[in-house]
């Protein structure tokens, strides 16, 4: 770094002024250049003084004293987060109870993050609002609904059917706000040969990525906000049949008819791990916060928990038929269903079910066989679950006796096949994807059913 010193000049010394210039200097009371005495020279600033002078910084700069350390930043963000919680809690309760509410909320958030939160809410449900049920239909989804997913904040919902279109819904008024066409970018000749439809959906908890399986071996990634394609994941050799997103991360799990489960990183759009073990195609997947996934193996009648970081798996057997669906209740318990008509609740510490509800949806009047349970849902970290079949109703269940017993608390009349179920994050609604056919095939048909999304509001104790 070089500095220009005021009062000094470089190069040749100035030439001796002539008399005329001297006269001009005398008249203007200015000393000629080069005639200053040493005492009158300006003081040279040191490097520290120059760097410490605020005027020497460019516009928008700051001094060292204004730089925020990592510790100060964490403290500032923590204070801001607490202030936001306090403001939110003040709107819900009196100011005298706000501190207790903040403490309770922070405790619940911590227990939720480690998978140990337990909320007993089933007793607060009094029934459903029959006059408040909505049946949502979109002109581009006339075929049976196959899948749906809700954002973590509950503001958006996505539905898929046996068509090439996925619809985005605004849950404030349940109006469609956009569509995704799975054949966008495909030429007309290829469209005639390609047969795709939405098989399953999942969304990351921050709402940045939406993953879609379209009955092919690839997974298409979209932006839920713009509905634009952001990538394609290739790694399976047969059609993808199940998807699940790990909470608070950009990792997803996929299962396929090729009997493998793959872990993907959406930040890098690449696979992390391929896991083998199932002896048949994977039919369902679920995941929470931990680095684990749970999968149903369909015809191999097994459920597996994959410990990804430990590169190991746990195997559970209990159903007498195909296992179609599996859902985590919390990090230690999970629920499963299959074509044997039974619901099983499990503990990760035991190889056999803790409780079994046989013929949960009765039997088929035509042949006397158990009604196939085609969809289940759990309200995470609570004692509430729901199941659907083709018997004309959705059943809501309460877990009792430490997940060893089922108690039915309501029946919701719904005609057709229940192909997917989701509780809203606040537990105020149950959303169902309904169709005249099963989501995986056309073995049966219920002509009295409607191909639509059904939104069911609950009545609860205040």
């Amino acid at each position: 770094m070089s500095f220009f010193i005021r009062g000094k000049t470089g190069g040749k010394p100035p030439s001796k002024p002539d008399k005329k210039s001297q006269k001009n200097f005398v008249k203007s009371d200015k000393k000629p250049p080069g005639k200053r005495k040493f005492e009158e020279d300006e003081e040279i600033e040191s490097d520290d003084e120059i760097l410490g002078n605020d005027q020497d910084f460019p516009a928008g700069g700051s001094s060292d004293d204004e730089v925020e350390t990592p510790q100060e930043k964490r403290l500032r963000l923590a204070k801001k987060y607490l202030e936001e919680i306090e403001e939110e809690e003040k709107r819900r309760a009196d100011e005298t109870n706000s501190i207790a509410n903040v403490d309770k909320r922070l405790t619940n958030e911590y227990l939720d993050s480690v998978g140990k939160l337990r909320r007993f809410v089933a007793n607060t449900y009094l029934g459903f609002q029959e006059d408040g049920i909505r049946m949502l239909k979109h002109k581009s989804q006339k075929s049976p609904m196959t899948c749906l997913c809700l954002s973590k904040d509950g503001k958006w919902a996505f539905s898929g059917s046996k068509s090439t279109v996925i619809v985005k819904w605004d849950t404030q008024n349940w109006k469609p706000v956009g569509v995704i066409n799975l054949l966008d970018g495909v030429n007309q000749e290829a469209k005639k040969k390609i047969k795709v439809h939405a098989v399953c959906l999942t969304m990351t908890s921050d709402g940045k990525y939406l993953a879609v399986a379209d009955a092919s071996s690839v997974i298409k990634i979209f932006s839920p906000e713009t509905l634009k394609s952001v990538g394609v994941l290739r790694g399976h050799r047969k059609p993808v049949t199940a998807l699940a997103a790990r909470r608070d991360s950009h990792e997803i799990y996929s299962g396929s008819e090729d009997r493998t489960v793959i872990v993907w990183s959406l930040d890098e759009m690449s696979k992390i791990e391929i896991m083998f073990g199932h002896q048949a195609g994977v039919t369902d997947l679920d995941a929470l916060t931990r680095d684990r996934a749970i999968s149903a193996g369909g015809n191999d009648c097994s459920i597996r928990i994959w410990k990804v970081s430990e590169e190991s798996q746990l195997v559970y057997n209990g159903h007498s038929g195909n296992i179609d669906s599996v859902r985590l209740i919390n990090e230690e318990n999970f629920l499963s269903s299959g074509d044997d008509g039974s619901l099983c609740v499990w503990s990760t510490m035991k190889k056999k079910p803790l409780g079994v509800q046989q013929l949960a949806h009765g039997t088929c009047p035509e042949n006397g066989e158990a009604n196939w349970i085609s969809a289940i849902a759990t309200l995470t970290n609570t004692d509430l679950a729901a199941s659907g079949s083709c018997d004309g109703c959705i059943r809501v269940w309460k877990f009792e006796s430490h997940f060893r017993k089922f108690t039915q608390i309501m029946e919701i009349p719904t005609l057709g096949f229940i192909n997917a179920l989701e509780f809203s994050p606040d537990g105020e609604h149950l959303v169902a994807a309904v169709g005249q056919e099963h989501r995986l095939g056309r073995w049966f048909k219920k002509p009295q059913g409607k191909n639509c999304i059904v939104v069911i509001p609950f009545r609860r104790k205040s």
Side-chain angles (χ1 to χ4, degrees):
M1 182 181 293
S2 64
F3 297 92
F4 293 97
I5 304 172
R6 294 188 294 274
K8 301 289 184 181
T9 57
K12 293 182 179 181
S15 60
K16 187 175 181 181
D18 55 14
K19 293 182 179 180
K20 186 176 180 179
S21 61
Q22 284 183 347
K23 288 179 181 180
N24 292 336
F25 276 110
V26 171
K27 288 180 181 179
S28 60
D29 295 329
K30 293 183 179 180
K31 295 182 179 180
K35 293 296 183 179
R36 284 187 176 182
K37 294 182 179 180
F38 181 80
E39 296 81 16
E40 295 176 349
D41 286 346
E42 293 183 4
E43 184 178 350
I44 300 175
E45 296 178 332
S46 66
D47 289 347
D48 293 337
E49 291 172 334
I50 293 172
L51 293 175
N53 192 350
D54 292 340
Q55 296 179 354
D56 290 334
F57 280 93
S62 62
S63 65
D64 293 340
D65 294 338
E66 296 177 358
V67 176
E68 187 179 39
T69 64
Q71 293 82 359
E72 291 172 342
K73 183 177 181 180
R74 284 195 291 268
L75 180 61
R76 176 175 58 81
L77 294 176
K79 288 181 178 179
K80 182 179 178 181
Y81 180 58
L82 290 173
E83 289 174 0
E84 291 175 354
I85 294 178
E86 286 179 353
E87 290 298 325
E88 187 174 341
E89 294 298 339
K90 283 178 181 179
R91 290 193 295 268
R92 298 181 182 178
D94 296 330
E95 292 187 10
T96 54
N97 298 325
S98 62
I99 296 178
N101 290 336
V102 170
D103 182 61
K104 182 179 179 181
R105 177 169 171 175
L106 290 174
T107 302
N108 288 341
E109 286 185 359
Y110 169 74
L111 292 175
D112 188 18
S113 66
V114 297
K116 294 185 178 180
L117 180 64
R118 302 289 183 272
R119 292 185 292 126
F120 300 97
V121 300
N123 288 332
T124 65
Y125 286 78
L126 303 176
F128 64 96
Q129 301 176 23
E130 188 172 355
D131 56 348
I133 294 178
R134 294 171 178 259
M135 302 183 72
L136 311 178
K137 298 188 72 174
H138 193 272
K139 61 182 180 180
S140 60
Q141 287 185 331
K142 297 180 181 179
S143 51
M145 309 303 294
T146 57
C147 53
L148 62 91
C149 70
L150 276 72
S151 61
K152 188 179 179 181
D153 56 11
K155 292 183 179 180
W156 310 105
F158 290 85
S159 63
S161 69
K162 290 184 178 181
S163 68
T164 62
V165 173
I166 295 168
V167 179
K168 178 182 179 181
W169 304 87
D170 182 356
T171 59
Q172 299 299 320
N173 50 24
W174 290 104
K175 299 292 184 183
V177 293
V179 297
I180 298 173
N181 194 326
L182 297 175
L183 291 180
D184 279 346
V186 180
N187 58 51
Q188 294 297 326
E189 291 297 325
K191 286 181 180 179
K192 297 178 182 179
K193 301 177 182 179
I194 298 175
K195 293 183 179 181
V196 300
H197 69 274
V199 176
C200 49
L201 305 168
T202 192
M203 193 189 315
T204 55
S205 54
D206 63 353
K208 187 176 181 180
Y209 297 106
L210 173 70
V212 181
D214 64 353
S216 69
S217 60
V218 303
I219 303 167
K220 296 180 179 179
I221 309 299
F222 297 89
S223 167
E225 184 176 353
T226 64
L227 305 183
K228 302 295 183 182
S229 175
V230 295
V232 176
L233 303 178
R234 293 181 172 87
H236 287 289
R237 293 167 297 171
K238 291 185 178 181
V240 177
T241 52
L243 291 170
R246 181 185 174 189
R247 294 192 179 184
D248 303 324
S249 75
H250 288 163
E251 290 182 6
I252 66 168
Y253 305 92
S254 64
S256 168
E257 291 181 2
D258 64 7
R259 302 179 291 180
T260 64
V261 175
I262 298 182
V263 188
W264 305 88
S265 170
L266 298 185
D267 289 326
E268 301 173 357
M269 291 296 169
S270 62
K271 57 187 172 185
I272 300 174
E273 189 79 29
I274 303 178
M275 299 178 289
F276 301 87
H278 279 297
Q279 303 303 308
V282 178
T283 55
D284 202 7
L285 276 168
D286 199 16
L288 291 178
T289 307
R290 299 173 69 180
D291 190 18
R292 294 183 180 185
I294 186 170
S295 61
N299 291 334
D300 72 1
C301 301
S302 73
I303 299 169
R304 294 171 189 259
I305 291 181
W306 306 90
K307 299 181 180 180
V308 179
S309 57
E310 301 174 23
E311 298 184 354
S312 62
Q313 57 183 283
L314 302 174
V315 184
Y316 303 84
N317 296 284
H319 285 273
S320 59
N322 295 349
I323 302 176
D324 260 13
S325 302
V326 63
R327 285 291 179 272
L328 286 164
I329 303 170
N330 49 57
E331 295 286 8
E332 298 174 358
N333 301 95
F334 58 92
L335 179 69
S336 64
S337 67
D339 64 0
D340 60 354
S342 63
L343 288 171
C344 296
V345 63
W346 308 70
S347 168
T348 58
M349 306 302 294
K350 294 182 179 294
K351 295 291 185 177
K352 297 297 180 181
L354 294 178
V356 179
Q357 183 70 32
Q358 301 285 354
L359 301 177
H361 283 260
T363 57
C364 181
E366 287 82 6
N367 53 26
E369 295 182 357
N371 281 319
W372 186 355
I373 299 179
S374 51
I376 56 175
T378 58
L379 186 57
T380 308
N381 292 327
T382 70
D383 57 347
L384 193 69
S387 62
S389 182
C390 58
D391 62 336
C393 66
I394 297 172
R395 302 175 191 265
V396 181
W397 306 88
K398 172 188 175 183
F399 300 119
E400 293 184 316
S401 303
H402 302 285
F403 299 101
R404 296 180 183 274
K405 182 181 177 183
F406 290 82
T407 300
Q408 181 178 307
I409 60 177
M410 69 180 85
E411 286 186 4
I412 305 168
T414 311
L415 298 177
F417 275 91
I418 312 301
N419 288 325
L421 285 171
E422 288 282 347
F423 283 102
S424 62
D426 57 7
E428 297 293 333
H429 296 82
L430 179 64
V431 187
V434 184
Q436 294 180 340
E437 302 168 348
H438 191 275
R439 67 185 181 91
L440 296 178
R442 294 177 175 173
W443 309 285
F444 312 102
K445 188 168 184 178
K446 296 288 182 179
Q448 68 273 25
K450 294 184 178 180
N451 300 324
C452 63
I453 296 293
V454 180
V455 182
I456 305 154
F458 291 113
R459 290 188 292 108
R460 299 182 65 180
K461 294 179 182 178
S462 57

